[in-house]
Amino acid sequence: MEIIRVIPQGYCQGVVRAIHIVKKTIDENPNVPIAMLGMIVHNRAVVNACRQCGISVLDHPHKTRLQLLDAVQEGIVIFTAHGVSDAVYEKARGKGLQIVDATCPDVRRTHDLVRAHCRKGDVLYIGKRFHPEAEGICGISGRVHLIADPGDLETCGPLQNPLITTQTTLSQLDAAALIALCRKKWPEAIVAPEICRATTIRQNAILNLQAVDLLLVVGDPRSNNSRQLCEIGKAAGIPNNILLENALQLRKEDFLSYEKIAVTSGSSTPPVLTEQVLDVLRNYAENRIWRVPEHLPSIF
Ligand code: SF4
């Protein structure tokens, strides 16, 4: 069995920055209640580490950021790397909360692009329904139209001076397919894809893999960029893929039939979790010893 570490993988600069902001906020405000509006990044281990540090993490699959804010009455509110709409900002200010904004600069750039274009026309935003980044962008203006699947094109009426842009963590292949459909309907549209560099180079690293049996992605199932890595693996012709959160979920029988296994991780996955997975697989490949750790390492 051969184990290949895919490079690059793991934390992107936006996630490193967001976690640094959270840790700094905790250190500098020992006696202030701190709430986080959603998961700082889509990784359960990171969120649990935040909770252990005393942060109240507000998360609900059917509630918007605006609705989640109802539960915060005092202290500090942290906005996550995915960004928020102006309405969330205004509501937090209206409640007298101290705002700590960990929005990734790449997401902020998409906000700026969309906000500027809405002054002169409509925006077709290719993104995931119910994803917080899409919620933040769609909250900019009624001129932003979410395109999550081809069916959404049917409901868009006549558009003025349309711009097509994308969520930062999409599969570049899925985005290209939806962009092509949009251009068919609105050939005059300007195209400005916003898939970030971190996402692009992690996906390209998989597209460039040669003759791999299995792609193992270490990441949270709620992480869009982790799920996309599995999809990119399929598009690259890799016949099998597994998405798991950490080494405790490894089962020997899932790996026995493969000759060449490539291991990557989502940009929200703590590197220590991926290292544990790699240690288990390499130990088996080199020494035929399958030993899964009993505990997960500390995240912060
Ligand atoms: Fe920012 Fe891209 Fe990382 Fe998202 S994946 S936090 S947009 S750098």
Side-chain angles (χ1 to χ4, degrees):
M1 182 191 288
E2 185 186 355
I3 308 299
I4 299 165
R5 178 203 289 268
V6 181
I7 296 172
Q9 60 162 281
Y11 276 179
C12 58
Q13 76 278 9
V15 168
V16 170
R17 180 178 174 277
I19 291 174
H20 172 73
I21 289 172
V22 169
K23 284 204 254 183
K24 189 164 176 282
T25 305
I26 295 166
D27 290 346
E28 291 177 355
N29 300 278
N31 301 313
V32 182
I34 303 174
M36 190 182 286
L37 215 53
M39 298 165 83
I40 183 70
V41 293
H42 281 143
N43 187 278
R44 199 157 53 126
V46 176
V47 171
N48 287 343
C50 291
R51 287 199 167 112
Q52 280 159 12
C53 291
I55 294 183
S56 166
V57 180
L58 305 166
D59 191 44
H60 190 288
H62 306 301
K63 284 192 177 174
T64 63
R65 296 297 204 242
L66 205 57
Q67 291 166 331
L68 289 173
L69 198 50
D70 288 338
V72 189
Q73 307 306 343
E74 56 175 350
I76 295 171
V77 62
I78 299 176
F79 296 156
T80 69
H82 313 96
V84 296
S85 64
D86 292 347
V88 172
Y89 246 97
E90 279 158 27
K91 187 166 171 176
R93 281 202 198 99
K95 293 181 108 178
L97 301 172
Q98 190 183 328
I99 294 169
V100 173
D101 189 350
T103 302
C104 174
D106 284 12
V107 175
R108 196 182 300 283
R109 195 182 64 172
T110 313
H111 275 250
D112 293 345
L113 171 79
V114 169
R115 197 183 308 281
H117 191 82
C118 283
R119 291 191 202 107
K120 51 192 179 200
D122 291 282
V123 173
L124 293 157
Y125 178 73
I126 298 174
K128 296 282 173 188
R129 221 180 297 286
F130 307 121
H131 191 281
E133 186 178 327
E135 180 195 329
I137 295 283
C138 292
I140 289 174
S141 162
R143 297 184 100 170
V144 182
H145 309 272
L146 177 65
I147 307 295
D149 56 54
D152 291 327
L153 295 176
E154 309 306 322
T155 56
C156 283
L159 301 181
Q160 187 192 353
N161 188 23
L163 170 87
I164 303 167
T165 190
T166 65
Q167 190 175 317
T168 57
T169 52
L170 290 189
S171 149
Q172 45 190 309
L173 305 178
D174 291 350
L178 280 172
I179 288 171
L181 287 176
C182 289
R183 291 216 65 189
K184 217 170 167 184
K185 187 162 177 184
W186 294 282
E188 76 283 16
I190 305 161
V191 182
E194 281 288 302
I195 297 175
C196 73
R197 183 169 182 276
T199 298
T200 304
I201 60 177
R202 281 158 181 72
Q203 293 181 1
N204 285 346
I206 293 172
L207 290 169
N208 291 332
L209 287 171
Q210 303 284 331
V212 167
D213 291 315
L214 170 72
L215 178 67
L216 172 60
V217 179
V218 185
D220 193 303
R222 283 187 64 179
S223 156
N224 189 51
N225 74 73
S226 299
R227 290 196 311 271
Q228 295 304 340
L229 294 178
C230 290
E231 293 303 315
I232 289 284
K234 281 185 208 161
I238 301 173
N240 304 285
N241 68 74
I242 295 177
L243 172 66
L244 51 76
E245 287 182 64
N246 55 57
L248 306 190
Q249 297 175 347
L250 286 168
R251 295 187 320 161
K252 186 178 173 184
E253 59 271 27
D254 290 338
F255 298 91
L256 294 181
S257 56
Y258 301 116
E259 290 292 317
K260 200 168 173 184
I261 300 173
V263 180
T264 189
S265 58
S267 53
S268 49
T269 307
V272 286
L273 297 183
T274 311
E275 291 310 316
Q276 267 196 338
V277 169
L278 278 164
D279 285 349
V280 172
L281 293 177
R282 283 189 178 138
N283 200 17
Y284 184 73
E286 290 163 16
N287 309 311
R288 292 286 156 205
I289 297 171
W290 183 268
R291 191 181 297 135
V292 171
E294 291 180 5
H295 305 289
L296 294 178
S298 166
I299 302 300
F300 282 177

